[in-house]
Amino acid sequence: MDSNPYGLAAIWTQGDVIIKTVAFVLLIMSVASWYVILTRGWQAWRLRAASRRMGDFWHAHSFEEGLSVLRSEDESDNPFINLALEGKAAVEHHATNQDDLHGQLSLTEWLTESLRGEIDESAERIQSGLPILASVGSTAPFIGLFGTVWGIYHALVNIGMAGSASIDKIAGPVGEALIMTAFGLAVAIPAVLGYNALVRANKGVISRMHRFARQLHAYFLTGSPGARNKVKQASSASTNTGVE
């Protein structure tokens, strides 16, 4: 059976360097966007599952037990664990480094800024890769359109050289033009849909991180064993001095 003279293989063979370069660039963009979609989608699913364990964290009987509840074997970078550890480290560092500049800040302010900084860093890690999807979604149609224009140009050149608009002279270049248009859309549409889905998923995770940070802030200031001891000491001092 003879091969189709207007099939994809024939069009690729007949295409010049510009058409092949456009197709190669779109292929690279497609691979990059699908890589980001799959890897970040898996990350968003893991983080959503991890966020469901926040309730179990607060039902634990100690801070260490709560951390073990948040941990699992397949989570190497859990932002909720990082928040809890950052809060604990901030409290301990503030208590043992009173002579430093941050020792002049109140524990509330230092803890707030430490948790806020960890949220910002975690959000930056979670959202890495999204600019690639945004760039692919916005530029792929225009790159495909460039291939379309180049294919139409080839068709017009063939018509001019032949002196007539016969189908055999313009079928190949017009086919290149249509394929480049379709290829550009096929690359851009998944990138745009993936970007929107990941932004929505990440927004939910970051919102849960803010809520968890507020809960940790309250725990370290009033609910942790160290904080309760400070409250008891302050109450005892007030009683001994007669302060109401």
Side-chain angles (χ1 to χ4, degrees):
M1 180 181 294
D2 294 336
S3 60
N4 184 0
Y6 303 116
L8 293 178
I11 291 175
W12 175 260
T13 302
Q14 297 170 8
D16 60 3
V17 176
I18 300 298
I19 290 296
K20 291 181 179 180
T21 301
V22 170
F24 184 73
V25 169
L26 289 175
L27 177 62
I28 295 297
M29 295 173 71
S30 178
V31 171
S33 63
W34 276 109
Y35 174 80
V36 172
I37 290 172
L38 294 177
T39 55
R40 295 307 171 189
W42 170 249
Q43 174 188 259
W45 182 84
R46 284 195 308 107
L47 294 180
R48 183 177 181 182
S51 67
R52 297 193 186 103
R53 293 194 290 273
M54 287 194 303
D56 297 332
F57 174 88
W58 295 113
H59 285 92
H61 296 91
S62 67
F63 184 80
E64 288 70 22
E65 181 183 345
L67 288 179
S68 65
V69 170
L70 291 178
R71 288 193 177 98
S72 66
E73 295 180 358
D74 61 340
E75 292 174 359
S76 58
D77 189 17
N78 188 322
F80 300 99
I81 295 177
N82 294 338
L83 268 177
L85 293 177
E86 178 64 24
K88 180 180 179 181
V91 172
E92 294 175 350
H93 188 75
H94 187 273
T96 56
N97 294 272
Q98 291 294 321
D99 295 334
D100 294 343
L101 287 177
H102 64 71
Q104 308 304 315
L105 300 174
S106 66
L107 177 59
T108 299
E109 294 174 342
W110 177 250
L111 181 59
T112 299
E113 292 303 318
S114 298
L115 293 175
R116 187 175 297 166
E118 181 60 35
I119 290 176
D120 292 340
E121 293 178 3
S122 296
E124 184 177 353
R125 290 192 297 267
I126 291 172
Q127 297 179 28
S128 62
L130 293 185
I132 295 177
L133 295 182
S135 299
V136 170
S138 60
T139 60
F142 297 101
I143 295 176
L145 182 60
F146 174 76
T148 300
V149 173
W150 192 258
I152 294 174
Y153 165 74
H154 267 196
L156 295 176
V157 169
N158 289 343
I159 292 173
M161 293 176 63
S164 62
S166 58
I167 189 65
D168 59 325
K169 299 297 182 181
I170 64 173
V174 170
E176 294 174 2
L178 296 177
I179 288 176
M180 288 299 103
T181 301
F183 199 3
L185 293 176
V187 173
I189 292 174
V192 172
L193 295 178
Y195 176 84
N196 292 334
L198 289 175
V199 166
R200 184 168 59 252
N202 291 341
K203 183 178 179 181
V205 172
I206 294 174
S207 176
R208 294 184 180 95
M209 288 171 56
H210 280 283
R211 181 173 61 185
F212 189 51
R214 290 193 297 268
Q215 295 169 340
L216 287 171
H217 187 274
Y219 167 76
F220 284 120
L221 290 180
T222 61
S224 63
R228 289 196 296 268
N229 291 336
K230 290 182 180 180
V231 172
K232 290 180 180 179
Q233 293 173 2
S235 299
S236 300
S238 299
T239 303
N240 294 335
T241 58
V243 176
E244 295 295 335

